[in-house]
Amino acid sequence: MNLTTQQSNEFVARHIGPGESDTRSMLKTIGESSLENLIGKTVPAGIRMAEALNIPAAMSEHEYLKHIKEVSQRNKLFTNYIGQGYYDTITPSVILRNIFENPGWYTQYTPYQAEISQGRLESLLNFQTMVSDLTALPIANASLLDEATAAAEAMTMFFNTLNKQDHIERSRFFVDAETFPQTIDVVKTRAVPVGIEVVIGDYKTAALDGTYFGALVQYPNNKGSVEDYRQFINQVHATGAFVVMATDLLALTLLTPPGELGADAAIGSAQRFGVPLGYGGPHAAFFATRDDFKRSMPGRIIGISIDAQGNRALRMALQTREQHIKREKATSNICTAQALLANMAAMYGVFHGPDGLKNIAKRVALYTQTVADAIEERGFTLVSGSFFDTLVVATDKVASIREKAERQLINLRYIDAGHIGISLDETTDVADLFDLINCFENDQDPVAFNIEQDTALEHIPTTLTRTSQFMTHPVFNTHKSESQMMRYIKYLENKDLSLNTSMISLGSCTMKLNAATEMMPLSWTHWNKIHPFAPISQTAGYQYIVDELGKYLCEITAFDACSLQPNSGAQGEYAGLLTIRSFHEANGDHHRNVMLIPISAHGTNPASAVMAGMKVVVVKALENGYIDVEDLKAKATQYSQELAGIMITYPSTYGVYEETVKEITDIIHQHGGQVYMDGANMNAQVGLTAPGLIGADVCHLNLHKTFAIPHGGGGPGMGPICVKAHLAKHLPGHVNEGTDQAVSAAPYGSASILLISYGYIRLLGAAGVKAATEYAILNANYMRARLAGKYDILYTNHSGQCAHEFIVDLRPFKKSAEIEAEDVAKRLIDYGFHAPTMSFPVPGTIMIEPTESEDKAELDRFCDALLSIREEIAAIEAGTADKKDNALKNAPHTQFVLTADVWNHLYTRQQAAFPLPYVQQNKFWPSVARVNNTHGDRNLVCTCEPVESYMVAEA
Ligand SMILES: Cc1ncc(COP(=O)(O)O)c(C=O)c1O
């Protein structure tokens, strides 16, 4: 290899854990002579990719950073006054450095293992408290994907409260015409498949009757106007329907909150609380509602419970609502949301506190007032006299104003031929005001104005001026200095186990390396200060990434077209199913609405199918985990006329490459159906096979799994969909591009994190991404081989191999030692590890997915931990350890428990805390003992409680 090629390939060895000699020794343990042989025995020959992937060769990290810097310069930095739900913001540096750029925060998984997630759980509880306070609604969730989808979720939440008859008789949803266009579009897309009729009108004249179940209004609205909805809300309530208000957290520091106006729910984006624009995301949407809806609200809710010692402990509440249990009856398909961004917004709230936020809001409002006065003085007319940060100017001089604005590198919002919008934000300073006003002036006339701190906010109606307090909890009123703030963030980080502590082997989640070089460009202004609705002439850098990444993803999936819009895997499922639906409709097959879904499918699959207006029919699995082809044939024949398609996961969620997959896809096609492939397991396909080769028509890719976007403690994610040519014209559109059927607020979803996946592919190159798949399979089979004999491994193929993950059966120990899967999961914490995926897809099991990024030594530590736990179970089975009082049942052990004066257990403190020598070198302490789930659900508390209450509990 020449020196340049060698340098270009160096990242492969940084990304993939095992080196050459480790690979040899791991193959020996598996009993294979070469990696090629192993792959040959694992991936069925009939679906193997014949050619190498046509994507560029690898780049070194240094080369890549130079390249991505150059591409970034193609984006033009303008000062944005476009607004429409996206505002520039100042990310406090202490948050940027200690959260946004910190793997201790961004590599965390969703906090299912509460004992090692108390830090982010507390931060998300802060988010919920902040949202609940600002909206004056008692319960808020821990984020949704974006403002538009949050509005659609509110609509379906209301709809789901109706009975079957009302679904027919009360199926109308009113949307005020002055709602953001992208929100209206997403709401319409969501309404059609489930039989909701969206009626758009003017709330002032709308006469809602008993055929409506709900209404959506925006506050302040699309034109910036602050409207008083009290009367409208009363009228809607009088008909028995509900109202959701789309709103703005910063505005709510000054405006009467939705809860006080009588709204049933409030939604919006928390982006302007310190989260960069990033050409559309990722940002956290919020959702708050009345108590009556707490069991039907979408998304994750963090709640307060107690641990085994009775101490306060946080956890995700009401987990029974999750799709795994309820499947097609789930409240929504939301799984991955926007946890990291919710944490950033919450910390912005902690950093500024209520007074700081009010000061920012007041400054923005006063500056807006100043601009309004200056513009009016110059003879222009404003559409509304009541506003917070947004003005709409009615003018016949749009072209000349635009020309002048663009000369000054200013983006205004050009609404139509007669209207211009101007939205200010916290980054606007006095110099900007001069430039802005100058757009409405001739350049010679000087602009003069005087703004005083105590100038009255004349444009916020007194009837809508906020009088109630908010964010009074100490957490929002304590951490004022940077030292305090830095330490608070670190204090929370220390409670959480992330990838910078140890491997997180969550099956189906692919917790691989999120390399620093892939992440770094996200902090650069040429990427993160671009507004999603900026003119295309300013976004050549982003367009390049979108085009290139789209091409690579098509090549990797063997498909023809790609949409980068969906913001999560489940959102991709929904978008993919809509393309199938739209394809059938275009063919006149309106009756094709049955979706076959194997019993082994992830719960989001049936939940998404219902959102796409489909009926779910379950297909059975065989003993070996394969789809039961006979059952499939029978169901496909039975529903032949109505068959819309099938959703399959490949390799299956049981971790095997079914040899029958092509037969399955053929059967579906013979009956006129389409094949949807859930791409969660693409880490076992890239470069070896592809959805297009197994006979699928559409798939989503979880970029936050296979393509290196970090999980962020439960989001962000990206779930782009790739399709065969015949589905291309049915992909989601966007109102900004003059098309419809949008599934997300922004045309390219969370565009800024596409850079991570782009970087991943460019750094590894064609050979590297394939090697990543091979090593993912090697690592899984190595662990399988080490654990086999001590544990039962479920579902391997005919040669005994697994794919990139495998399932360990823990059910026998219930009988032999009264040990449950949860005991093993919690005991792993004592060994310094996050538990693998629990009880999915098979209850009572754990599913292990090591990924290619883990080296042999780390895999060995994890295997040693599981083998040592097996011995602990054996001791219970043999009667040498007690069935009730043992290290598994009492796990995890906190420092507090271990150092207490009294130790009454039948095993030693040493056994509890340091069961293997490596643990002594690097001990991770859980901050709470086992969390009591039932207590939390029975006593639902989802906002920060007064400090006194938990001080008492801890005493
Ligand atoms: C098999 C499978 N399908 C779908 C999903 C949903 O993806 P997301 O969480 O990105 O919505 C997951 C998530 O873990 C999954 O494992």
Side-chain angles (χ1 to χ4, degrees):
M1 198 185 282
N2 77 30
L3 277 181
T4 317
T5 320
Q6 186 192 31
Q7 190 192 7
S8 297
N9 279 318
E10 70 191 13
F11 181 73
V12 180
R14 304 267 175 230
H15 178 79
I16 293 178
E20 270 176 40
S21 78
D22 282 347
T23 303
R24 275 195 302 276
S25 117
M26 289 161 73
L27 283 165
K28 205 165 151 209
T29 306
I30 300 172
E32 283 304 334
S33 53
S34 70
L35 193 50
E36 218 169 46
N37 275 358
L38 172 71
I39 302 301
K41 281 193 187 163
T42 311
V43 188
I47 57 163
R48 281 294 292 273
M49 194 176 266
E51 307 283 323
L53 286 170
N54 182 20
I55 56 179
M59 276 179 171
S60 72
E61 293 179 69
H62 178 66
E63 277 173 315
Y64 175 72
L65 286 172
K66 269 203 307 197
H67 160 74
I68 203 69
K69 178 66 104 194
E70 184 279 312
V71 180
S72 77
Q73 305 296 325
R74 301 183 206 171
N75 292 325
K76 300 213 166 61
L77 279 184
F78 274 49
T79 309
N80 288 306
Y81 300 99
I82 302 174
Q84 206 183 321
Y86 301 90
Y87 310 87
D88 205 355
T89 178
I90 300 166
T91 311
S93 300
V94 63
I95 296 176
L96 183 76
R97 176 153 290 199
N98 294 291
I99 296 187
F100 189 70
E101 297 178 340
N102 179 357
W105 280 87
Y106 66 67
T107 68
Q108 303 163 347
Y109 190 64
T110 308
Y112 280 106
Q113 295 298 327
E115 297 80 2
I116 46 175
S117 312
Q118 291 294 302
R120 59 195 182 277
L121 284 164
E122 176 162 331
S123 180
L124 291 171
L125 190 76
N126 293 345
F127 179 78
Q128 293 177 178
T129 306
M130 178 174 82
V131 169
S132 172
D133 279 10
L134 284 169
T135 57
L137 285 160
I139 184 156
N141 73 10
S143 80
L144 286 178
L145 296 175
D146 60 29
E147 173 163 344
T149 54
E153 292 290 347
M155 171 181 73
T156 39
M157 181 181 84
F158 294 158
F159 192 57
N160 289 341
T161 61
L162 305 181
N163 60 31
K164 270 196 178 148
Q165 190 57 27
D166 277 351
H167 271 171
I168 300 162
E169 290 171 7
R170 276 194 95 111
S171 58
R172 287 187 166 152
F173 186 69
F174 176 83
V175 180
D176 185 60
E178 291 305 343
T179 303
F180 290 144
Q182 71 273 17
T183 303
I184 296 182
D185 196 16
V186 169
V187 164
K188 282 202 303 210
T189 308
R190 186 75 78 84
V192 175
V194 289
I196 296 173
E197 184 193 347
V198 172
V199 178
I200 297 170
D202 179 352
Y203 84 94
K204 291 194 196 97
T205 51
L208 268 54
D209 57 20
T211 61
Y212 287 81
F213 67 90
L216 165 66
V217 289
Q218 184 121 26
Y219 179 67
N221 74 14
N222 183 42
K223 297 251 167 74
S225 184
V226 177
E227 303 281 315
D228 191 340
Y229 295 115
R230 286 183 180 99
Q231 204 185 336
F232 174 71
I233 292 171
N234 286 339
Q235 281 165 2
V236 176
H237 282 167
T239 69
F242 305 113
V243 177
V244 52
M245 287 173 70
T247 188
D248 178 307
L249 292 181
L250 192 63
L252 292 185
T253 63
L254 303 178
L255 300 182
T256 307
E260 292 174 24
L261 298 176
D264 303 284
I267 59 97
S269 168
Q271 177 267 317
R272 74 188 311 171
F273 275 22
V275 183
L277 289 165
Y279 200 39
H283 310 136
F286 61 85
F287 189 113
T289 188
R290 289 197 283 113
D291 224 35
D292 316 15
F293 291 107
K294 70 182 172 213
R295 284 176 203 272
S296 49
M297 78 187 291
R300 293 170 171 137
I301 308 169
I302 309 309
I304 301 170
S305 186
I306 50 170
D307 75 357
Q309 265 71 51
N311 290 319
R312 174 184 185 264
L314 305 175
R315 59 185 277 280
M316 289 204 289
L318 303 173
Q319 292 198 26
T320 45
R321 291 183 314 107
E322 295 261 22
Q323 299 87 11
H324 284 334
I325 312 237
K326 289 204 167 171
R327 297 177 72 88
E328 63 269 26
K329 296 202 178 59
T331 41
S332 89
N333 72 341
I334 290 289
C335 185
T336 289
Q338 302 278 17
L340 182 73
L341 303 314
N343 284 328
M344 285 179 69
M347 285 298 181
Y348 181 94
V350 170
F351 181 78
H352 288 294
D355 295 338
L357 292 179
K358 245 187 290 184
N359 286 342
I360 295 170
K362 185 151 189 215
R363 194 175 70 232
V364 171
L366 280 177
Y367 283 2
T368 308
Q369 184 165 305
T370 306
V371 174
D373 292 348
I375 289 179
E376 277 186 320
E377 269 169 33
R378 281 154 183 82
F380 290 91
T381 311
L382 298 179
V383 163
S384 172
S386 307
F387 51 80
F388 161 60
D389 66 348
T390 296
L391 307 171
V392 171
V393 187
T395 173
D396 55 2
K397 296 182 185 149
V398 173
S400 65
I401 294 169
R402 179 170 191 162
E403 191 272 320
K404 221 162 161 195
E406 288 183 351
R407 232 185 313 132
Q408 299 184 86
L409 301 185
I410 285 176
N411 280 331
L412 304 174
R413 180 177 169 203
Y414 304 103
I415 299 171
D416 55 37
H419 294 94
I420 293 179
I422 311 167
S423 294
L424 275 66
D425 58 59
E426 68 160 323
T427 67
T428 311
D429 59 24
V430 173
D432 293 324
L433 299 188
F434 282 101
D435 296 344
L436 191 49
I437 296 165
N438 260 332
C439 300
F440 297 82
E441 261 291 350
N442 77 53
D443 287 330
Q444 277 78 44
D445 293 344
V447 173
F449 49 78
N450 189 20
I451 315 165
E452 299 294 337
Q453 177 69 35
D454 52 3
T455 308
L457 294 170
E458 286 159 15
H459 296 278
I460 293 184
T462 45
T463 49
L464 288 172
T465 299
R466 182 164 194 144
T467 51
S468 54
Q469 287 191 313
F470 58 89
M471 293 165 69
T472 52
H473 191 274
V475 74
F476 300 113
N477 295 282
T478 308
H479 309 288
K480 291 293 147 230
S481 74
E482 178 158 332
S483 296
Q484 284 174 307
M485 195 65 199
M486 175 179 70
R487 288 180 194 139
Y488 180 55
I489 295 173
K490 184 71 188 165
Y491 158 76
L492 295 186
E493 183 195 336
N494 283 345
K495 292 171 183 252
D496 288 10
L497 191 147
S498 312
L499 277 178
N500 63 359
T501 307
S502 55
M503 71 186 280
I504 301 180
S505 64
L506 286 160
S508 201
C509 300
T510 317
M511 299 291 288
K512 60 169 65 177
L513 169 77
N514 317 114
T517 296
E518 292 154 4
M519 301 296 296
M520 269 165 58
L522 269 71
S523 300
W524 300 347
T525 47
H526 274 79
W527 293 118
N528 69 24
K529 277 200 177 287
I530 308 294
H531 193 285
F533 305 142
I536 197 142
S537 55
Q538 295 168 21
T539 60
Y542 266 116
Q543 297 310 319
Y544 175 83
I545 297 296
V546 163
D547 290 348
E548 288 296 300
L549 182 60
K551 261 195 305 194
Y552 306 154
L553 296 180
C554 284
E555 173 68 12
I556 286 168
T557 52
F559 281 146
D560 305 297
C562 174
S563 164
L564 293 168
Q565 204 177 94
N567 274 320
S568 71
Q571 198 75 340
E573 292 166 21
Y574 164 66
L577 294 175
L578 287 184
T579 64
I580 293 180
R581 182 188 153 92
S582 161
F583 168 78
H584 287 314
E585 301 232 314
N587 292 340
D589 288 337
H590 305 283
H591 48 281
R592 289 200 173 268
N593 68 347
V594 167
M595 193 46 71
L596 302 183
I597 301 186
I599 185 79
S600 56
H602 193 265
T604 52
N605 288 191
S608 301
V610 169
M611 279 168 59
M614 295 181 178
K615 269 195 232 151
V616 175
V617 171
V618 176
V619 182
K620 290 184 196 151
L622 296 174
E623 284 268 299
N624 65 359
Y626 284 30
I627 291 176
D628 181 340
V629 178
E630 290 312 312
D631 188 50
L632 173 87
K633 271 190 202 151
K635 302 235 159 97
T637 309
Q638 185 185 348
Y639 296 101
S640 189
Q641 294 307 308
E642 303 117 283
L643 192 65
I646 191 168
M647 294 182 87
I648 53 170
T649 305
Y650 200 75
S652 78
T653 54
Y654 291 147
V656 278
Y657 298 88
E658 286 148 316
E659 290 91 5
T660 47
V661 68
K662 274 197 153 171
E663 195 185 341
I664 291 168
T665 54
D666 283 348
I667 296 169
I668 299 301
H669 287 140
Q670 280 155 19
H671 288 276
Q674 294 283 291
V675 177
Y676 182 92
M677 200 208 78
D678 179 326
N681 289 346
M682 268 310 280
N683 214 43
Q685 286 199 40
V686 179
L688 299 181
T689 180
L693 299 181
I694 64 165
D697 301 287
V698 44
C699 75
H700 78 256
L701 300 169
N702 298 66
L703 298 190
H704 47 299
K705 298 184 181 189
T706 311
F707 297 94
I709 294 177
H711 278 73
M718 275 298 280
I721 52 172
C722 295
V723 297
K724 277 197 175 150
H726 66 281
L727 293 177
K729 62 171 182 283
H730 304 289
L731 286 171
H734 195 274
V735 64
N736 263 43
E737 289 158 359
T739 49
D740 55 8
Q741 285 263 50
V743 295
S744 300
Y748 307 106
S750 301
S752 63
I753 54 174
L754 294 175
L755 286 169
I756 304 169
S757 300
Y758 173 80
Y760 172 81
I761 295 173
R762 295 305 306 263
L763 285 160
L764 285 177
V769 293
K770 181 178 174 203
T773 315
E774 291 169 339
Y775 276 86
I777 294 169
L778 172 72
N779 280 0
N781 277 290
Y782 173 69
M783 291 186 73
R784 174 193 55 73
R786 276 211 60 196
L787 298 175
K790 299 290 180 192
Y791 286 99
D792 291 342
I793 311 292
L794 292 179
Y795 314 124
T796 49
N797 71 2
H798 58 273
S799 6
Q801 321 286 9
C802 61
H804 66 314
E805 62 190 5
F806 61 99
I807 298 176
V808 176
D809 196 358
L810 302 175
R811 290 170 299 188
F813 306 132
K814 185 155 188 200
K815 203 157 166 216
S816 66
E818 291 178 21
I819 289 296
E820 315 255 1
E822 192 181 35
D823 301 321
V824 174
K826 301 306 176 195
R827 182 64 176 145
L828 271 168
I829 297 173
D830 289 332
Y831 285 82
F833 284 110
H834 193 290
T837 296
M838 296 250 320
S839 293
F840 169 74
V842 186
T845 64
I846 48 175
M847 180 157 64
I848 301 178
E849 179 184 359
T851 84
E852 70 279 9
S853 301
E854 299 305 335
D855 58 276
K856 180 172 178 292
E858 182 72 353
L859 299 177
D860 281 335
R861 275 189 290 276
F862 192 80
C863 289
D864 291 345
L866 275 175
L867 293 172
S868 171
I869 290 173
R870 180 65 191 91
E871 280 170 24
E872 292 172 354
I873 297 173
I876 303 169
E877 288 168 335
T880 49
D882 189 72
K883 275 198 166 148
K884 300 267 175 277
D885 185 24
N886 58 60
L888 281 109
K889 282 278 173 228
N890 295 331
H893 297 83
T894 59
Q895 277 170 316
F896 181 75
V897 166
L898 286 157
T899 55
D901 292 339
V902 185
W903 176 261
N904 278 335
H905 297 296
L906 298 167
Y907 52 100
T908 67
R909 289 177 157 112
Q910 189 74 13
Q911 281 167 335
F914 300 107
L916 285 175
Y918 80 81
V919 191
Q920 291 171 13
Q921 306 296 316
N922 187 14
K923 177 72 187 171
F924 182 85
W925 292 104
S927 55
V928 295
R930 197 175 302 190
V931 176
N932 185 329
N933 289 325
T934 326
H935 179 94
D937 279 351
R938 288 219 183 105
N939 312 283
L940 198 63
V941 180
C942 303
T943 51
C944 299
E945 72 285 51
V947 251
E948 311 81 63
S949 63
Y950 59 90
M951 284 165 71
V952 172
E954 267 173 1

